[in-house]
Amino acid sequence: MATLDPADLLRLSTGAMRGHPTRSVLSMLGIAIGVAAVVLLTSLGEGARRYIVAQFSQFGTNVIAINPGKTETMGIPGAFGGTTRKLTIEDSEAIARIPDVTEVVPMAMGQARVEGGGRGRSVFIYGTTSTLPEVFSFEIGQGSFLPPGDPRRGGSVAVLGPKLKRELFGEENALGQLVRVAGARLRVIGVMAPKGRMLGFDIDDAAYIPAATAMRLFNLDELQEIDVLFAHEGMTDRVAERVRKVLMERHGGKEDFTLSTQTEMLEVFGRVMDVITLSVAVIAGISLLVGAIGIFTMMWISVGERVGEIGLLRALGATAQQVLFIFLAEALLLTSLGGMAGLVIGLAVMFVVRLLAPGIPLHAPVEYVLAALGMSAAAGVLSGVSPARRAAGLEPVEALRAE
């Protein structure tokens, strides 16, 4: 056998597969399950990462959140070395005077029952100012948002989220209606446009009232958050440093607060999700290893069963290298077909999941899909080398005698 063209190689390498189709399919199944697992698990990880990034990005990447207390601070605030100075409305006004700052929104939050239209509902109450829609890119559906003015002065007005309005007043016009929030009577002056959910939290099911009013209703002596809007993401570090400097000057030189930029949060989430995606890919890759062991076992058995065939090939002039190629090609073919089947299975399952549960974020990362197919091919080569060398090392006479 002087030459072995691709057609001969394919015919000879698929001989055992055609002779033992069930065994071949079961061997490929291990690889297929491994590739399908890689596709599905990495799709879930990548989908979750994109979902979280999208959730936070909807508020823009040019926002800094300031919270009381330092994340490294231990103990109860005000005691045992904890926070000693409150985050106040005056702090937010000082930050608003920083040249690069576009808007500042102080926040005081709590949960309370809102009653109106003969109904009641317990929702989150945001005490804030007129700047909130601009800072968080919120839109007003009806009426107007909280009026501008001195944030230290409260007001008897409220703006309802669209879901809260619908639950309380149905299709009736809520503007001008009175609602009772934590026992206080407030007049509805606006209804927010639908915003949806964020990480499972329904933003539309909430009410917005003046910050000073919220602090009084919830008996708060400090703000829970100050959000700072600036021109663009490129100014993040400069604005954060200026905000830190202003607050430290007001807090006796102590950094008893925490600055969180959207960019930092997105980077942290991105790194965490990358690690999770890689971890699940490694776990799924273990099933590929199991599949490769199955291919190795099948190939080893196949060589033992085909000793006579190998001897005949060698007697007809096939070289040891050609025999080696035949068995290597068979192993590579088995794992490649298994990998392709696994890819089809994984994508099909993703399609079904999207149909049945469209809320589950799934996105197949191309690099992991290609890596899974590459690993399946590599598994074929690695699992086929030893059986192929065993077949190539058989002496023709001994092989024919064994038959």
Side-chain angles (χ1 to χ4, degrees):
M1 188 178 290
T3 60
L4 191 63
D5 59 39
D8 290 334
L9 182 62
L10 182 63
R11 179 173 52 81
L12 291 171
S13 59
T14 56
M17 295 169 60
R18 285 183 273 109
H20 302 281
T22 304
R23 189 173 69 185
S24 301
V25 169
L26 290 176
S27 300
M28 287 188 286
L29 191 59
I31 297 294
I33 292 174
V35 172
V38 170
V39 172
L40 289 173
L41 292 178
T42 55
S43 297
L44 192 59
E46 177 67 11
R49 188 186 71 81
R50 291 188 174 218
Y51 173 76
I52 293 174
V53 169
Q55 292 290 300
F56 280 94
S57 299
Q58 66 176 313
F59 298 118
T61 55
N62 54 338
V63 177
I64 296 175
I66 307 165
N67 298 98
K70 187 68 176 171
T71 52
E72 292 85 357
T73 301
M74 302 295 291
I76 303 171
F80 308 115
T83 302
T84 55
R85 294 178 184 269
K86 311 295 183 183
L87 202 59
T88 63
I89 290 178
E90 287 74 17
D91 287 334
S92 68
E93 291 178 322
I95 295 171
R97 290 192 288 271
I98 297 174
D100 295 327
V101 171
T102 306
E103 288 291 357
V104 173
V105 55
M107 301 281 283
M109 298 166 275
Q111 190 162 10
R113 183 175 176 81
V114 179
E115 298 175 343
R119 300 175 182 175
R121 187 174 180 81
S122 181
V123 297
F124 233 82
I125 310 296
Y126 293 94
T128 183
T129 62
S130 61
T131 55
L132 180 136
E134 182 178 356
V135 173
F136 291 116
S137 303
F138 283 9
E139 295 182 0
I140 312 300
Q142 285 181 293
S144 61
F145 198 70
L146 302 175
D150 187 349
R152 283 175 291 270
R153 299 183 60 184
S156 300
V157 294
V159 177
L160 306 181
K163 183 176 180 179
L164 176 60
K165 178 265 174 187
R166 188 170 58 253
E167 292 292 333
L168 295 181
F169 298 102
E171 298 302 322
E172 294 181 16
N173 187 2
L175 298 183
Q177 301 277 3
L178 289 174
V179 292
R180 189 175 290 276
V181 180
R185 284 165 58 89
L186 306 177
R187 188 170 297 281
V188 178
I189 61 171
V191 178
M192 303 297 290
K195 187 68 174 177
R197 304 174 72 90
M198 176 183 172
L199 301 179
F201 183 77
D202 193 349
I203 301 174
D204 296 340
D205 198 11
Y208 304 86
I209 64 177
T213 302
M215 294 176 72
R216 176 172 55 80
L217 292 178
F218 297 123
N219 194 28
L220 300 174
D221 58 357
E222 69 171 331
L223 297 172
Q224 290 153 311
E225 185 171 308
I226 297 175
D227 294 285
V228 181
L229 177 70
F230 49 96
H232 56 82
E233 185 181 351
M235 301 170 65
T236 301
D237 293 339
R238 186 172 69 186
V239 174
E241 190 55 38
R242 289 184 174 182
V243 169
R244 181 179 288 107
K245 182 179 179 181
V246 168
L247 284 181
M248 288 181 66
E249 288 176 352
R250 293 182 53 82
H251 289 208
K254 294 182 178 179
E255 189 174 345
D256 53 359
F257 52 86
T258 299
L259 297 182
S260 303
T261 67
Q262 291 287 77
T263 305
E264 288 174 346
M265 293 171 62
L266 292 175
E267 287 177 352
V268 170
F269 274 118
R271 287 196 293 270
V272 171
M273 294 310 301
D274 285 345
V275 171
I276 292 175
T277 303
L278 180 61
S279 300
V280 297
V282 171
I283 294 172
I286 294 174
S287 57
L288 270 177
L289 177 62
V290 175
I293 294 173
I295 296 291
F296 173 84
T297 304
M298 184 206 136
M299 292 299 301
W300 194 266
I301 295 173
S302 178
V303 170
E305 293 175 342
R306 297 164 66 187
V307 169
E309 180 186 342
I310 296 168
L312 185 59
L313 284 172
R314 295 296 307 275
L316 291 174
T319 64
Q321 189 178 38
Q322 288 174 327
V323 173
L324 180 77
F325 283 157
I326 290 171
F327 281 89
L328 266 182
E330 182 178 337
L332 184 60
L333 201 57
L334 281 170
T335 53
S336 297
L337 290 174
M340 294 299 294
L343 177 61
V344 172
I345 293 171
L347 295 177
V349 172
M350 284 177 59
F351 179 75
V352 172
V353 170
R354 282 173 176 158
L355 285 180
L356 299 178
I360 296 178
L362 289 173
H363 183 89
V366 177
E367 61 272 21
Y368 282 100
V369 172
L370 294 177
L373 292 176
M375 286 176 63
S376 66
V381 173
L382 293 175
S383 60
V385 165
S386 184
R389 292 184 64 181
R390 179 190 174 200
L394 291 174
E395 291 295 332
V397 176
E398 294 297 330
L400 288 173
R401 182 180 298 156
E403 179 65 13

